Amino acid sequence: MGYAATSSTDAVERERFAMAPDEVTAPGTTPSSADSADSQPTPVQQSTAQRPDSTAISQRRPKRLSDWLDRLGEPDWRSAEDNAYRKTILGARQLRRRLKFREEIRAEKDARKNPVPPMRPAGRAPEVLHSAPIPLTSRARPRSAAAAEPTAYPVGAEVPLDAWRRWTVTICLLVCIVGSMIGVGVFGGPGIAEAADGAFAPDATLLAPASSAFSIWSVIYIGLIVYTVHQWLPSQRTSKRHRGIGWWVAASMILNCGWILSAQAGWIGFSLVVMGALLTVLIVVLRQMNVYPSFSRLQTWAVDVPFGLYLGWIIVASAGNMATWLSTTGWNLFDWGATVWSVIALTVLLFGGSVAASTGKRGRLSVAIAISWGLAWLIVQRLWGEPTSGLIAFVAGVAMFAVLISAGSQRHRVAHAERLAVRRQWTGQQNTVFVIDPSAD
């Protein structure tokens, strides 16, 4: 007598199929009624005997992949419907879902390694990624037959626009670095803090952080240099991600240089417009990074981290630039005062920063770190500098805490969902019942 981990329904089915052929009866009938030749079953009994028990079938069907694998070595006592159901589960619902994402990544890597496709049979058109636009009207006729053929590029091949994009980003980076050197006064002239009669100084407005906060620009510029070098790698030249953000990155560098020059010239209103355009461009970059997520740690550190810090700092700098423009123009709507409007600006910064930090698959921790950096130095300036404001320091602390929680909660939710998926893969919902197996000795 042995013990086996099977369900009670399985034991009953084994006993029924282990009987002699003369003793096998259909479900819903008794042996006495089957042996008697005089008694003929009614049509209702025939339909009941031919129709399988749906409850028994559902109980016999394992609900876990491990149950199917455990039963592969057992005798083939199941019905044809159970075998078809097993093949459907293993072939369609499990394997297709697991291999779909890997096949896409493998195809993209193969296209990068082999940009030139193999020779195809005659009469078969090659795969086309980019082609010349087709005229919408019949009047736009090409002058020659050669001009009528579109310029075709195989899948994964580099197009001339990719080279233009890389060179544009590189040149814009050099312009941005020269502009930053002008902003700190390397070539002479006042720096940003002394420009515009001290309008951008730490003690000018309630939303101006301490001078030490601007040291984050060194990290941002290092990240921009790393990104520029990263896009020149052979494996990244045809990346869809770089194609989606490359031109926007170049525009952000030009706008950054334009803000520095306008601030040094004392054009505070124009600098606010440039800052708004720069913030919009970086939001587009963030959206493109979410559309084309990172597939490696190198790409995460070379792309996501630098532009996350860039966006987070520009969010804080936009609030400070707005406060500078309002203080220089003397604008005071509803006579609420600078403190009330500063609290409103920090509230808007809280919601905007929380949304930006919670995007992406696992959130944007770099965005939250940059925002928290700026708010931390704002708290330092409001508590130990001029002008002093305990309310602004308190609201800035709440905003910093909320932004960090938003980024951390997104990462926690994704990690928790992954742990649950792994747990469901190895543990099923059906409870195992230990019964005595009569056939085991």
Side-chain angles (χ1 to χ4, degrees):
M1 183 70 65
Y3 294 87
T6 58
S7 60
S8 58
T9 307
D10 295 342
V12 174
E13 290 292 332
R14 285 175 177 269
E15 289 187 59
R16 187 168 64 86
F17 279 92
M19 297 167 58
D22 298 334
E23 299 176 358
V24 176
T25 58
T29 62
T30 59
S32 60
S33 61
D35 296 335
S36 60
D38 298 336
S39 60
Q40 298 294 335
T42 62
V44 177
Q45 294 177 349
Q46 290 181 353
S47 60
T48 305
Q50 295 176 359
R51 185 173 64 253
D53 190 0
S54 60
T55 305
I57 292 178
S58 63
Q59 293 178 356
R60 292 200 309 271
R61 292 174 181 170
K63 298 182 180 180
R64 294 179 298 172
L65 181 61
S66 59
D67 293 342
W68 287 121
L69 298 178
D70 294 337
R71 290 193 178 187
L72 290 180
E74 298 178 359
D76 191 9
W77 57 272
R78 295 176 298 273
S79 62
E81 183 179 359
D82 289 339
N83 293 331
Y85 185 82
R86 179 192 60 182
K87 294 179 181 179
T88 303
I89 291 296
L90 293 178
R93 194 164 62 187
Q94 295 291 341
L95 299 181
R96 188 189 311 167
R97 185 183 305 171
R98 295 181 181 181
L99 298 179
K100 181 179 179 181
F101 185 67
R102 294 184 179 179
E103 290 177 356
E104 294 177 355
I105 297 179
R106 189 180 299 110
E108 185 175 356
K109 290 183 178 179
D110 293 341
R112 291 175 181 173
K113 294 180 180 179
N114 303 317
V116 180
M119 297 181 62
R120 297 178 175 84
R124 183 177 178 182
E127 298 180 3
V128 177
L129 179 62
H130 301 279
S131 60
I134 302 176
L136 300 179
T137 60
S138 59
R139 296 181 181 180
R141 300 282 184 180
R143 297 185 179 180
S144 60
E149 298 179 0
T151 304
Y153 304 98
V155 175
E158 183 179 358
V159 299
L161 197 61
D162 293 332
W164 282 100
R165 170 179 49 80
R166 293 194 300 270
W167 280 110
T168 302
V169 172
T170 305
I171 295 173
C172 292
L173 174 64
L174 297 177
V175 173
C176 184
I177 292 176
V178 172
S180 64
M181 296 172 67
I182 295 174
V184 297
V186 174
F187 301 104
I192 297 298
E194 294 82 14
D197 297 331
F200 296 97
D203 56 352
T205 61
L206 291 174
L207 295 181
S211 301
S212 301
F214 295 92
S215 60
I216 194 176
W217 277 113
S218 302
V219 182
I220 294 175
Y221 283 128
I222 292 174
L224 294 178
I225 295 174
V226 171
Y227 168 78
T228 304
V229 175
H230 178 72
Q231 67 163 356
W232 281 97
L233 297 179
S235 61
Q236 303 296 325
R237 292 181 178 179
T238 59
S239 174
K240 294 181 180 179
R241 203 178 200 208
H242 292 298
R243 288 174 177 174
I245 69 175
W247 297 103
W248 296 103
V249 169
S252 69
M253 295 177 182
I254 295 298
L255 290 173
N256 187 12
C257 181
W259 184 88
I260 294 174
L261 297 179
S262 61
Q264 278 200 333
W267 303 339
I268 300 177
F270 182 74
S271 68
L272 180 61
V273 175
V274 175
M275 181 65 73
L278 177 58
L279 179 61
T280 304
V281 168
L282 291 178
I283 291 175
V284 176
V285 172
L286 178 66
R287 181 183 178 277
Q288 292 295 322
M289 289 192 300
N290 294 333
V291 173
Y292 303 102
S294 173
F295 292 105
S296 63
R297 291 186 177 180
L298 176 61
Q299 197 173 85
T300 300
W301 285 97
V303 181
D304 295 78
V305 173
F307 293 106
L309 296 175
Y310 199 178
L311 175 61
W313 174 252
I314 292 301
I315 291 175
V316 178
S318 300
N321 199 351
M322 175 65 74
T324 301
W325 179 74
L326 294 178
S327 63
T328 54
T329 56
W331 185 83
N332 188 13
L333 185 62
F334 306 126
D335 294 332
W336 285 356
T339 303
V340 176
W341 286 110
S342 297
V343 171
I344 295 175
L346 288 176
T347 305
V348 175
L349 187 150
L350 186 154
F351 285 102
S354 300
V355 171
S358 60
T359 58
K361 180 181 178 181
R362 296 181 179 273
R364 299 288 175 182
L365 189 60
S366 56
V367 176
I369 290 175
I371 295 176
S372 301
W373 173 269
L375 293 178
W377 286 107
L378 177 62
I379 295 172
V380 171
Q381 183 65 25
R382 296 289 76 82
L383 292 179
W384 293 281
E386 294 293 337
T388 304
S389 177
L391 178 61
I392 298 299
F394 173 76
V395 177
V398 172
M400 179 177 63
F401 178 76
V403 171
L404 289 175
I405 288 297
S406 299
S409 61
Q410 178 67 13
R411 297 177 68 88
H412 175 73
R413 284 195 297 267
V414 174
H416 182 65
E418 291 178 350
R419 288 193 298 268
L420 289 180
V422 173
R423 188 177 302 173
R424 293 193 190 100
Q425 183 179 0
W426 296 102
T427 59
Q429 301 297 333
Q430 182 180 8
N431 296 327
T432 304
V433 179
F434 290 88
V435 298
I436 298 176
D437 188 359
S439 62
D441 295 329

